[in-house]
Amino acid sequence: MKVMYPGTFDPITVGHLDVITRAAGCFDEVIVAIMKNPKKNCTFTESERKEMIEKCIRNYPNVKVVVGEGLTVNYTKKLGCKGLLRGIRAVADYEYELAQATGNMQLDSEIETFFLVAKPEYSFLSSSIAKEVASFNGDISKFIPEEIAKSVIERLTRK
Ligand code: ADP
């Protein structure tokens, strides 16, 4: 099965990458989709986020990254994916993800949502936390993949 992993990835964290790695071992193909959302005030542009993810998935032959737009279920179908993949960290994610998955089920009953539970060491990790630490020039090696850590620090400490 081919699944789509939608999100903001502003920027990709080691938590996202862990979900991608584990999913790549379970599904035939994983397409990471950076979904355009004009309401979100992102730090990195879509093409910067895409480039950063590409650097992290070089050794994953069955993972691809795209920039998507519109309704998630519509874009999932457009890519020919039967499943949607999301990660769940804590109870707060569960409530939000349950509402999204139920809504998507009503919009398109042919698309199934799959959840991977975050590893305990990543369960409190978000792009926002990583950016906050980076903005103070802190050590982000446990949060951000090493392939992109330098550029994330550079961007966030820029005056
Ligand atoms: P969105 O704005 O769509 O929530 P994010 O980039 O924040 O986009 O997250 C994309 C998906 O990855 C979500 O399902 C989120 O719950 C999951 N996720 C985010 N951080 C982690 C993590 N540390 N471990 C596992 N899953 C995560």
Side-chain angles (χ1 to χ4, degrees):
M1 186 191 274
K2 185 168 153 185
V3 292
M4 181 176 105
Y5 179 31
T8 310
F9 307 104
D10 185 42
I12 183 170
T13 67
V14 290
H16 292 127
L17 194 57
D18 182 61
V19 167
I20 295 169
T21 307
R22 288 158 58 202
C26 299
F27 297 100
D28 299 315
E29 198 175 346
V30 177
I31 306 196
V32 182
I34 299 163
M35 296 305 290
K36 286 190 184 172
N37 185 346
K39 280 189 228 136
K40 285 203 176 164
N41 200 358
C42 289
T43 306
F44 298 94
T45 65
E46 283 127 16
S47 56
E48 284 171 333
R49 283 178 269 155
K50 182 168 183 271
E51 214 172 282
M52 288 193 281
I53 297 175
E54 275 163 354
K55 281 187 183 154
C56 302
I57 58 163
R58 273 199 189 123
N59 299 323
Y60 300 61
N62 62 339
V63 181
K64 265 200 263 169
V65 55
V66 296
V67 175
E69 59 192 333
L71 265 182
T72 304
V73 280
N74 292 351
Y75 197 71
T76 310
K77 258 212 164 134
K78 200 171 162 190
L79 292 180
C81 296
K82 285 233 162 66
L84 260 175
L85 175 69
R86 296 284 289 177
I88 290 192
R89 286 162 293 187
V91 181
D93 275 350
Y94 176 73
E95 288 194 19
Y96 173 79
E97 295 294 342
L98 184 65
Q100 292 287 321
T102 309
N104 286 336
M105 202 182 271
Q106 283 166 311
L107 289 171
D108 191 332
S109 60
E110 288 177 2
I111 306 270
E112 293 291 357
T113 302
F114 296 89
F115 294 110
L116 283 184
V117 170
K119 280 205 185 133
E121 60 267 43
Y122 304 138
S123 62
F124 292 99
L125 174 57
S126 63
S127 300
S128 317
I129 288 179
K131 283 191 282 188
E132 175 126 18
V133 175
S135 71
F136 292 107
N137 212 352
D139 177 10
I140 54 166
S141 59
K142 289 202 172 75
F143 308 146
I144 297 292
E146 62 172 343
E147 294 87 340
I148 61 163
K150 199 165 160 255
S151 45
V152 169
I153 291 269
E154 268 169 17
R155 168 64 64 86
L156 284 148
T157 53
R158 200 194 281 169
K159 292 270 152 47

PDB file of all heavy atoms in Angstrom, residues 5-9 15-16 19 40 86-87 89 93 97 118 122 125, ligand 1:
ATOM      1  N   TYR A   5       1.900  10.915   4.022  1.00  0.00           N
ATOM      2  CA  TYR A   5       2.130  11.457   5.370  1.00  0.00           C
ATOM      3  C   TYR A   5       2.073  12.982   5.260  1.00  0.00           C
ATOM      4  O   TYR A   5       3.058  13.625   4.896  1.00  0.00           O
ATOM      5  CB  TYR A   5       3.493  10.973   5.876  1.00  0.00           C
ATOM      6  CG  TYR A   5       3.910  11.453   7.253  1.00  0.00           C
ATOM      7  CD1 TYR A   5       2.991  11.722   8.266  1.00  0.00           C
ATOM      8  CD2 TYR A   5       5.255  11.621   7.569  1.00  0.00           C
ATOM      9  CE1 TYR A   5       3.387  12.146   9.526  1.00  0.00           C
ATOM     10  CE2 TYR A   5       5.661  12.039   8.828  1.00  0.00           C
ATOM     11  CZ  TYR A   5       4.730  12.308   9.795  1.00  0.00           C
ATOM     12  OH  TYR A   5       5.129  12.732  11.042  1.00  0.00           O
ATOM     13  N   PRO A   6       0.888  13.585   5.526  1.00  0.00           N
ATOM     14  CA  PRO A   6       0.765  15.034   5.384  1.00  0.00           C
ATOM     15  C   PRO A   6       1.180  15.769   6.658  1.00  0.00           C
ATOM     16  O   PRO A   6       1.076  15.221   7.760  1.00  0.00           O
ATOM     17  CB  PRO A   6      -0.741  15.215   5.138  1.00  0.00           C
ATOM     18  CG  PRO A   6      -1.373  14.115   5.934  1.00  0.00           C
ATOM     19  CD  PRO A   6      -0.392  12.963   5.969  1.00  0.00           C
ATOM     20  N   GLY A   7       1.637  16.999   6.483  1.00  0.00           N
ATOM     21  CA  GLY A   7       1.984  17.798   7.660  1.00  0.00           C
ATOM     22  C   GLY A   7       2.570  19.124   7.239  1.00  0.00           C
ATOM     23  O   GLY A   7       2.584  19.475   6.057  1.00  0.00           O
ATOM     24  N   THR A   8       3.064  19.844   8.246  1.00  0.00           N
ATOM     25  CA  THR A   8       3.641  21.159   8.006  1.00  0.00           C
ATOM     26  C   THR A   8       5.167  21.053   7.883  1.00  0.00           C
ATOM     27  O   THR A   8       5.777  21.714   7.055  1.00  0.00           O
ATOM     28  CB  THR A   8       3.237  22.124   9.154  1.00  0.00           C
ATOM     29  OG1 THR A   8       1.826  22.040   9.350  1.00  0.00           O
ATOM     30  CG2 THR A   8       3.600  23.549   8.838  1.00  0.00           C
ATOM     31  N   PHE A   9       5.759  20.242   8.730  1.00  0.00           N
ATOM     32  CA  PHE A   9       7.206  19.963   8.700  1.00  0.00           C
ATOM     33  C   PHE A   9       8.026  21.259   8.648  1.00  0.00           C
ATOM     34  O   PHE A   9       8.865  21.433   7.769  1.00  0.00           O
ATOM     35  CB  PHE A   9       7.559  19.050   7.510  1.00  0.00           C
ATOM     36  CG  PHE A   9       6.740  17.788   7.464  1.00  0.00           C
ATOM     37  CD1 PHE A   9       5.696  17.642   6.540  1.00  0.00           C
ATOM     38  CD2 PHE A   9       6.975  16.752   8.353  1.00  0.00           C
ATOM     39  CE1 PHE A   9       4.922  16.490   6.504  1.00  0.00           C
ATOM     40  CE2 PHE A   9       6.208  15.590   8.324  1.00  0.00           C
ATOM     41  CZ  PHE A   9       5.181  15.460   7.403  1.00  0.00           C
ATOM     42  N   GLY A  15      11.563  13.325  15.268  1.00  0.00           N
ATOM     43  CA  GLY A  15      10.301  12.616  15.545  1.00  0.00           C
ATOM     44  C   GLY A  15       9.564  12.296  14.246  1.00  0.00           C
ATOM     45  O   GLY A  15       9.099  11.175  14.037  1.00  0.00           O
ATOM     46  N   HIS A  16       9.466  13.303  13.350  1.00  0.00           N
ATOM     47  CA  HIS A  16       8.860  13.061  12.029  1.00  0.00           C
ATOM     48  C   HIS A  16       9.655  11.980  11.291  1.00  0.00           C
ATOM     49  O   HIS A  16       9.082  11.081  10.679  1.00  0.00           O
ATOM     50  CB  HIS A  16       8.926  14.321  11.153  1.00  0.00           C
ATOM     51  CG  HIS A  16       8.078  15.477  11.582  1.00  0.00           C
ATOM     52  ND1 HIS A  16       8.583  16.742  11.761  1.00  0.00           N
ATOM     53  CD2 HIS A  16       6.739  15.585  11.835  1.00  0.00           C
ATOM     54  CE1 HIS A  16       7.608  17.579  12.089  1.00  0.00           C
ATOM     55  NE2 HIS A  16       6.473  16.901  12.155  1.00  0.00           N
ATOM     56  N   VAL A  19       8.910   8.520  12.371  1.00  0.00           N
ATOM     57  CA  VAL A  19       7.625   8.044  11.822  1.00  0.00           C
ATOM     58  C   VAL A  19       7.844   7.597  10.364  1.00  0.00           C
ATOM     59  O   VAL A  19       7.399   6.521   9.953  1.00  0.00           O
ATOM     60  CB  VAL A  19       6.542   9.160  11.904  1.00  0.00           C
ATOM     61  CG1 VAL A  19       5.317   8.805  11.069  1.00  0.00           C
ATOM     62  CG2 VAL A  19       6.135   9.394  13.363  1.00  0.00           C
ATOM     63  N   LYS A  40      -1.116  29.264   8.344  1.00  0.00           N
ATOM     64  CA  LYS A  40       0.036  29.012   9.221  1.00  0.00           C
ATOM     65  C   LYS A  40       1.181  29.942   8.868  1.00  0.00           C
ATOM     66  O   LYS A  40       1.507  30.130   7.703  1.00  0.00           O
ATOM     67  CB  LYS A  40       0.492  27.548   9.099  1.00  0.00           C
ATOM     68  CG  LYS A  40      -0.457  26.628   9.814  1.00  0.00           C
ATOM     69  CD  LYS A  40       0.177  25.325  10.213  1.00  0.00           C
ATOM     70  CE  LYS A  40      -0.847  24.535  11.012  1.00  0.00           C
ATOM     71  NZ  LYS A  40      -0.522  23.151  11.147  1.00  0.00           N
ATOM     72  N   ARG A  86      -0.460   9.463  10.083  1.00  0.00           N
ATOM     73  CA  ARG A  86      -0.244  10.553  11.037  1.00  0.00           C
ATOM     74  C   ARG A  86       0.460   9.991  12.267  1.00  0.00           C
ATOM     75  O   ARG A  86       0.443   8.778  12.512  1.00  0.00           O
ATOM     76  CB  ARG A  86      -1.586  11.180  11.455  1.00  0.00           C
ATOM     77  CG  ARG A  86      -2.335  11.849  10.319  1.00  0.00           C
ATOM     78  CD  ARG A  86      -1.779  13.183   9.917  1.00  0.00           C
ATOM     79  NE  ARG A  86      -2.039  14.209  10.928  1.00  0.00           N
ATOM     80  CZ  ARG A  86      -1.598  15.455  10.826  1.00  0.00           C
ATOM     81  NH1 ARG A  86      -0.859  15.837   9.809  1.00  0.00           N
ATOM     82  NH2 ARG A  86      -1.871  16.334  11.766  1.00  0.00           N
ATOM     83  N   GLY A  87       1.070  10.880  13.045  1.00  0.00           N
ATOM     84  CA  GLY A  87       1.752  10.450  14.261  1.00  0.00           C
ATOM     85  C   GLY A  87       0.971  10.946  15.462  1.00  0.00           C
ATOM     86  O   GLY A  87       0.336  11.996  15.408  1.00  0.00           O
ATOM     87  N   ARG A  89       1.525  11.818  19.518  1.00  0.00           N
ATOM     88  CA  ARG A  89       2.466  11.955  20.625  1.00  0.00           C
ATOM     89  C   ARG A  89       1.759  11.774  21.962  1.00  0.00           C
ATOM     90  O   ARG A  89       2.021  10.840  22.688  1.00  0.00           O
ATOM     91  CB  ARG A  89       3.159  13.324  20.575  1.00  0.00           C
ATOM     92  CG  ARG A  89       4.189  13.429  19.477  1.00  0.00           C
ATOM     93  CD  ARG A  89       4.539  14.848  19.160  1.00  0.00           C
ATOM     94  NE  ARG A  89       3.395  15.536  18.555  1.00  0.00           N
ATOM     95  CZ  ARG A  89       3.419  16.742  18.058  1.00  0.00           C
ATOM     96  NH1 ARG A  89       4.524  17.461  18.125  1.00  0.00           N
ATOM     97  NH2 ARG A  89       2.359  17.277  17.500  1.00  0.00           N
ATOM     98  N   ASP A  93      -2.725  15.330  21.040  1.00  0.00           N
ATOM     99  CA  ASP A  93      -2.708  14.968  19.617  1.00  0.00           C
ATOM    100  C   ASP A  93      -3.882  14.064  19.302  1.00  0.00           C
ATOM    101  O   ASP A  93      -4.508  14.185  18.259  1.00  0.00           O
ATOM    102  CB  ASP A  93      -1.438  14.164  19.260  1.00  0.00           C
ATOM    103  CG  ASP A  93      -0.252  15.051  18.951  1.00  0.00           C
ATOM    104  OD1 ASP A  93      -0.438  16.267  18.830  1.00  0.00           O
ATOM    105  OD2 ASP A  93       0.861  14.501  18.834  1.00  0.00           O
ATOM    106  N   GLU A  97      -6.319  14.554  16.245  1.00  0.00           N
ATOM    107  CA  GLU A  97      -6.178  13.576  15.158  1.00  0.00           C
ATOM    108  C   GLU A  97      -7.457  12.757  14.960  1.00  0.00           C
ATOM    109  O   GLU A  97      -7.806  12.403  13.837  1.00  0.00           O
ATOM    110  CB  GLU A  97      -4.991  12.638  15.422  1.00  0.00           C
ATOM    111  CG  GLU A  97      -3.627  13.326  15.433  1.00  0.00           C
ATOM    112  CD  GLU A  97      -3.198  13.891  14.082  1.00  0.00           C
ATOM    113  OE1 GLU A  97      -3.763  13.482  13.053  1.00  0.00           O
ATOM    114  OE2 GLU A  97      -2.310  14.761  14.067  1.00  0.00           O
ATOM    115  N   ALA A 118       4.279   7.916  18.729  1.00  0.00           N
ATOM    116  CA  ALA A 118       5.653   8.427  18.843  1.00  0.00           C
ATOM    117  C   ALA A 118       6.462   7.585  19.823  1.00  0.00           C
ATOM    118  O   ALA A 118       5.934   7.094  20.827  1.00  0.00           O
ATOM    119  CB  ALA A 118       5.624   9.873  19.333  1.00  0.00           C
ATOM    120  N   TYR A 122      10.582  10.846  21.736  1.00  0.00           N
ATOM    121  CA  TYR A 122      10.158  11.930  20.844  1.00  0.00           C
ATOM    122  C   TYR A 122       8.760  12.437  21.174  1.00  0.00           C
ATOM    123  O   TYR A 122       8.217  13.275  20.460  1.00  0.00           O
ATOM    124  CB  TYR A 122      10.154  11.441  19.382  1.00  0.00           C
ATOM    125  CG  TYR A 122      11.472  10.884  18.915  1.00  0.00           C
ATOM    126  CD1 TYR A 122      11.534   9.729  18.143  1.00  0.00           C
ATOM    127  CD2 TYR A 122      12.668  11.526  19.243  1.00  0.00           C
ATOM    128  CE1 TYR A 122      12.748   9.219  17.707  1.00  0.00           C
ATOM    129  CE2 TYR A 122      13.887  11.020  18.815  1.00  0.00           C
ATOM    130  CZ  TYR A 122      13.911   9.868  18.042  1.00  0.00           C
ATOM    131  OH  TYR A 122      15.108   9.358  17.617  1.00  0.00           O
ATOM    132  N   LEU A 125       8.447  16.160  21.462  1.00  0.00           N
ATOM    133  CA  LEU A 125       9.180  16.930  20.460  1.00  0.00           C
ATOM    134  C   LEU A 125       8.263  17.478  19.367  1.00  0.00           C
ATOM    135  O   LEU A 125       7.468  16.747  18.784  1.00  0.00           O
ATOM    136  CB  LEU A 125      10.261  16.023  19.838  1.00  0.00           C
ATOM    137  CG  LEU A 125      11.038  16.607  18.662  1.00  0.00           C
ATOM    138  CD1 LEU A 125      11.712  17.921  19.046  1.00  0.00           C
ATOM    139  CD2 LEU A 125      12.079  15.603  18.179  1.00  0.00           C
TER     140      LEU A 125
HETATM  141  P1  ADP B   1       0.483  19.420  11.279  1.00  0.00           P
HETATM  142  O1  ADP B   1       0.478  20.921  11.220  1.00  0.00           O
HETATM  143  O2  ADP B   1      -0.282  18.788  10.153  1.00  0.00           O
HETATM  144  O3  ADP B   1       0.127  18.830  12.614  1.00  0.00           O
HETATM  145  P2  ADP B   1       3.240  18.679  11.842  1.00  0.00           P
HETATM  146  O4  ADP B   1       4.423  18.831  10.950  1.00  0.00           O
HETATM  147  O5  ADP B   1       3.244  19.402  13.127  1.00  0.00           O
HETATM  148  O6  ADP B   1       2.011  19.053  10.936  1.00  0.00           O
HETATM  149  O7  ADP B   1       3.020  17.116  12.158  1.00  0.00           O
HETATM  150  C1  ADP B   1       2.739  16.193  11.133  1.00  0.00           C
HETATM  151  C2  ADP B   1       2.343  14.866  11.778  1.00  0.00           C
HETATM  152  O8  ADP B   1       3.463  14.324  12.478  1.00  0.00           O
HETATM  153  C3  ADP B   1       1.226  14.957  12.817  1.00  0.00           C
HETATM  154  O9  ADP B   1       0.431  13.786  12.728  1.00  0.00           O
HETATM  155  C4  ADP B   1       1.942  14.992  14.139  1.00  0.00           C
HETATM  156  O10 ADP B   1       1.140  14.493  15.182  1.00  0.00           O
HETATM  157  C5  ADP B   1       3.112  14.066  13.826  1.00  0.00           C
HETATM  158  N1  ADP B   1       4.273  14.375  14.668  1.00  0.00           N
HETATM  159  C6  ADP B   1       4.825  15.578  14.924  1.00  0.00           C
HETATM  160  N2  ADP B   1       5.874  15.463  15.755  1.00  0.00           N
HETATM  161  C7  ADP B   1       5.999  14.145  16.034  1.00  0.00           C
HETATM  162  C8  ADP B   1       6.872  13.366  16.867  1.00  0.00           C
HETATM  163  N3  ADP B   1       7.806  13.954  17.621  1.00  0.00           N
HETATM  164  N4  ADP B   1       6.703  12.019  16.911  1.00  0.00           N
HETATM  165  C9  ADP B   1       5.714  11.448  16.196  1.00  0.00           C
HETATM  166  N5  ADP B   1       4.843  12.106  15.410  1.00  0.00           N
HETATM  167  C10 ADP B   1       4.967  13.434  15.336  1.00  0.00           C
END
